[in-house]
Amino acid sequence: MRAQQVTGPEVFHGEGPVWHHGWGGLRFVDMLAGDVMTLRADGGLDRKHVGSVAAVVRPRVGGGAVVGVERGFALEEPDGTITTLPELWGTTDVRMNEGGCDPDGRMYCGSMAYDQTPGAAKLFRLDPDRSTSVVLEGVTVSNGLEWSPDGTLAYYDDTPTGEIAVFDYDRGRGLTNRRRFAALPDDGRPDGLTVDADGGVWAAAYGAGLVYGFSPDGRLVERVEVGAANTTACTFGGEALDQLFITTSKENADLDADPLAGCLFVAEVGVRGRPVRPFAG
């Protein structure tokens, strides 16, 4: 199966695509430019600058969005106004990277050191009352995070581990009982991931030009070829949530050999996603 190109190579480091009907479609981030991207109906892209880094974006229940920025979170109001919340750390060697919302409306975003120092990162949670907490420590490159359709499992990857982990989840205890869900073939590097309506897990393999699809029990069942090596993340979108959108990156790419790096792609994979879980704050 091969993904089709949607846009030109218009972003440097595309990440974190998310479809929300309340926005009218797809948004993702050009992470290191600090921009949130909106896919227009004509296939073009609109940019909104939110800070030095835009790590991940999710809708808010009352409109607008929550955004992971370089050292914390920012809130977009329905009128487009951006409020940056207090920084979660003061040093400049670590930045936010990727995240998502749990079934109880809390927003998570994980970090990474710019030089990918092992164990230097954490996974943070922003509650609707704007309080924050650390839910994982000792992470290296905190990446994809999404919950099962029934909300009882959370899938997560710390890229250098080469595997997708799964946690049990409930509101009171949070993420518990971490264990391996699946390892990527050929020592692959798991990046962003999403979960379909049947509980299958789809993960981008950074540097491989692939998205892998796994069954709910962790078996590899699908392989989507992407026309750019640095596949970074994926999500289900379209009016019926039956299209898999895939972001890519120019970071560390040979643009002569990889001219489609930075493009957005889409694939028809025969399953549907589920509506994005919004932030309750």
Side-chain angles (χ1 to χ4, degrees):
M1 185 177 298
R2 188 165 184 85
Q4 303 302 309
Q5 182 183 348
V6 176
T7 71
E10 297 184 36
V11 302
F12 178 74
H13 188 57
E15 266 280 12
V18 59
W19 183 281
H20 178 49
H21 289 293
W23 290 335
L26 188 81
R27 290 186 184 180
F28 61 101
V29 297
D30 190 355
M31 186 180 287
L32 301 178
D35 294 340
V36 174
M37 313 298 297
T38 299
L39 180 65
R40 300 195 307 265
D42 64 3
L45 293 171
D46 292 328
R47 287 182 177 266
K48 180 168 185 172
H49 190 67
V50 296
S52 57
V53 168
V56 64
V57 59
R58 289 292 186 272
R60 297 170 69 188
V61 168
V66 57
V67 185
V69 292
E70 187 173 27
R71 291 188 286 277
F73 296 94
L75 298 176
E76 179 193 50
E77 302 301 332
D79 66 2
T81 303
I82 299 287
T83 302
T84 302
L85 302 182
E87 291 186 351
L88 300 180
W89 63 91
T91 60
T92 60
D93 56 335
V94 174
R95 65 167 173 83
M96 287 294 206
N97 192 55
E98 176 65 289
C101 289
D102 71 23
D104 297 295
R106 302 177 294 189
M107 176 68 180
Y108 296 65
C109 195
S111 63
M112 61 174 284
Y114 278 98
D115 66 0
Q116 299 190 27
T117 299
K122 300 176 182 178
L123 178 63
F124 298 87
R125 189 184 76 211
L126 174 68
D127 283 21
D129 65 2
R130 303 191 183 184
S131 64
T132 58
S133 56
V134 175
V135 296
L136 281 180
E137 299 199 52
V139 177
T140 300
V141 180
S142 189
N143 238 310
L145 177 65
E146 186 55 271
W147 277 256
S148 60
D150 67 2
T152 64
L153 300 172
Y155 301 94
Y156 171 76
D157 55 63
D158 181 0
T159 296
T161 67
E163 66 181 40
I164 302 166
V166 59
F167 294 84
D168 296 325
Y169 172 80
D170 67 44
R171 180 182 179 89
R173 295 186 300 160
L175 304 176
T176 60
N177 190 26
R178 182 175 181 167
R179 57 207 182 270
R180 175 190 280 196
F181 170 71
L184 266 63
D186 303 318
D187 298 318
R189 293 171 56 81
D191 205 316
L193 61 79
T194 193
V195 178
D196 65 41
D198 298 322
V201 178
W202 300 78
Y206 188 84
L210 294 168
V211 173
Y212 291 111
F214 297 90
S215 66
D217 61 1
R219 291 178 295 110
L220 180 64
V221 294
E222 190 57 85
R223 170 185 164 122
V224 181
E225 296 181 0
V226 183
N230 292 337
T231 43
T232 56
C234 54
T235 196
F236 285 94
E239 288 303 311
L241 298 177
D242 58 354
Q243 299 174 291
L244 187 70
F245 288 91
I246 304 160
T247 50
T248 67
S249 174
K250 296 179 184 178
E251 188 176 28
N252 301 318
D254 178 347
L255 299 183
D256 291 328
D258 195 3
L260 299 185
C263 293
L264 178 72
F265 293 82
V266 69
E268 308 284 345
V269 295
V271 295
R272 295 186 180 190
R274 47 178 321 286
V276 61
R277 293 183 171 99
F279 176 56

